[in-house]
Structure formats: C-alpha cells, structure tokens
Amino acid sequence: MERRNFQIYSIPGYEEEIGRWLWCLEDVRKSLIKKLTTINPNLVDKKIDERQTISSLLYHIALIEADWFYVEVLGTEWDSEIRSLFQLEDRSDDGALIHIQGQSLEEHFYRLNKVREVFLSHFRTMDLNDWRRPRVLEHYDVTPEWVVYHLIEHESHHRGQIFQMLRELQND
C-alpha cells in the first residue's frame, strides 16, 4: 500500500498563511475535478428525482466563487471576460438552482479554471493586513480570509452532493 502524506502546504508565490488557505481551496477543487474526469460525460445532465444536475452544481460553484470575489473581496463590477462565462442567472424564480444542460465537462472545467485563475492571481499581492481588512457592505462586513473559508465550505458541500449523485447515477 502506498504511504500517504496528510499535510497542508502553502502555495508558493503567496504570503505563507494566505497560501495555506488557498492550498485548501485548491485541494477541494482537485478532488472534484479528479473524480469528474473518470465519469461517463452523459451523467452531468442526468436528473435524479427532479434534483439539480451535476452541470447545474458546477455552474453554481463557479458563479458563486466569481460573485464573492468581485462583490465582497474587490468591491467592483465583474470583469467582462468572466461575466461572459455566465449567460444565465444562478437561480430560477422559485429559488432553485437554474437548470444547466448541454455543456460538456470541458466547458465546465474551463469556467471553473478561468474563475479560479483570476481569483488566485489577485491574492498573490495581498498581505495579511488586507487579508483581514473587513470590506464594509450594506448588510454585513466580510474579510477576504472569511470569503476563502466560505468558498472552501461551499465547494466541499457541493462536491459531496455531486459525489452522492454519481454514486446513485452509476448504480442505475
């Protein structure tokens, strides 16, 4: 049996503490992508009991990451290139995730990777003071540190949903 190493590292090129949090964010994504590259691509659009599809969850993960980055961390309008990756809103009128269908895994991976690339590039120049400096918004204050924590939690949750859906779909 291969010996495994369970440690958190700091991604090179970042302030060490920030790099450790970003390593965790990247680790969640790595396990999601690794699993999805082994599946039958037709499963991403398949529904179980009217629940959302894997496609809808992948779209949602990328959109939420972009939104937290532009609104809460930067406090700016979205970059037009990133905005163009999201032709649909996140939710329907009834509050359910928007139904995404007909996009390949490669399209989903491109969207996820492009958002993450822009996200990570911003943190290369961030110091710990800015990392912990609250952004004052209308209804709450939030730090970039908390945003990264939240995105780790958010993607981990949806990764679990996706993995459960895959178990059910692959047993059909």
Side-chain angles (χ1 to χ4, degrees), residues 30-87:
K30 184 173 123 185
S31 65
L32 176 62
I33 299 297
K34 182 179 179 183
K35 180 75 165 181
L36 291 174
T37 58
T38 67
I39 69 165
N40 176 335
N42 296 330
L43 295 179
V44 297
D45 288 340
K46 207 165 181 198
K47 274 191 169 188
I48 303 171
D49 302 330
E50 293 307 308
R51 286 184 272 173
Q52 67 272 350
T53 62
I54 292 169
S55 284
S56 296
L57 287 168
L58 294 174
Y59 186 89
H60 172 73
I61 289 167
L63 188 144
I64 294 304
E65 183 170 319
D67 191 58
W68 278 94
F69 176 62
Y70 286 107
V71 175
E72 279 79 4
V73 174
L74 297 181
T76 64
E77 294 294 319
W78 287 38
D79 174 84
S80 59
E81 182 182 3
I82 297 299
R83 174 50 77 193
S84 72
L85 300 173
F86 300 96
Q87 299 299 314

Side-chain angles (χ1 to χ4, degrees), residues 86-98:
F86 300 96
Q87 299 299 314
L88 301 170
E89 293 299 318
D90 183 43
R91 299 202 177 260
S92 61
D93 291 339
D94 67 359
L97 287 183
I98 198 77

Side-chain angles (χ1 to χ4, degrees), residues 12-152:
Y14 296 87
E15 196 292 330
E16 186 174 354
E17 183 176 334
I18 296 169
R20 292 172 71 79
W21 279 94
L22 296 176
W23 182 92
C24 295
L25 187 67
E26 285 284 86
D27 190 60
V28 173
R29 176 68 52 84
K30 184 173 123 185
S31 65
L32 176 62
I33 299 297
K34 182 179 179 183
K35 180 75 165 181
L36 291 174
T37 58
T38 67
I39 69 165
N40 176 335
N42 296 330
L43 295 179
V44 297
D45 288 340
K46 207 165 181 198
K47 274 191 169 188
I48 303 171
D49 302 330
E50 293 307 308
R51 286 184 272 173
Q52 67 272 350
T53 62
I54 292 169
S55 284
S56 296
L57 287 168
L58 294 174
Y59 186 89
H60 172 73
I61 289 167
L63 188 144
I64 294 304
E65 183 170 319
D67 191 58
W68 278 94
F69 176 62
Y70 286 107
V71 175
E72 279 79 4
V73 174
L74 297 181
T76 64
E77 294 294 319
W78 287 38
D79 174 84
S80 59
E81 182 182 3
I82 297 299
R83 174 50 77 193
S84 72
L85 300 173
F86 300 96
Q87 299 299 314
L88 301 170
E89 293 299 318
D90 183 43
R91 299 202 177 260
S92 61
D93 291 339
D94 67 359
L97 287 183
I98 198 77
H99 180 67
I100 303 294
Q101 189 167 355
Q103 295 182 359
S104 69
L105 274 172
E106 290 74 24
E107 290 173 283
H108 287 295
F109 292 166
Y110 177 81
R111 182 183 300 110
L112 287 162
N113 290 335
K114 193 66 181 167
V115 170
R116 181 60 56 85
E117 176 186 306
V118 171
F119 187 91
L120 291 176
S121 71
H122 175 76
F123 288 93
R124 285 195 183 282
T125 58
M126 185 175 282
D127 63 23
L128 285 177
N129 288 331
D130 195 24
W131 174 247
R132 293 195 178 111
R133 182 180 57 81
R135 278 44 174 179
V136 179
L137 301 160
E138 184 179 351
H139 298 289
Y140 54 89
D141 298 345
V142 63
T143 64
E145 180 179 38
W146 190 90
V147 168
V148 171
Y149 157 75
H150 174 67
L151 292 174
I152 291 168

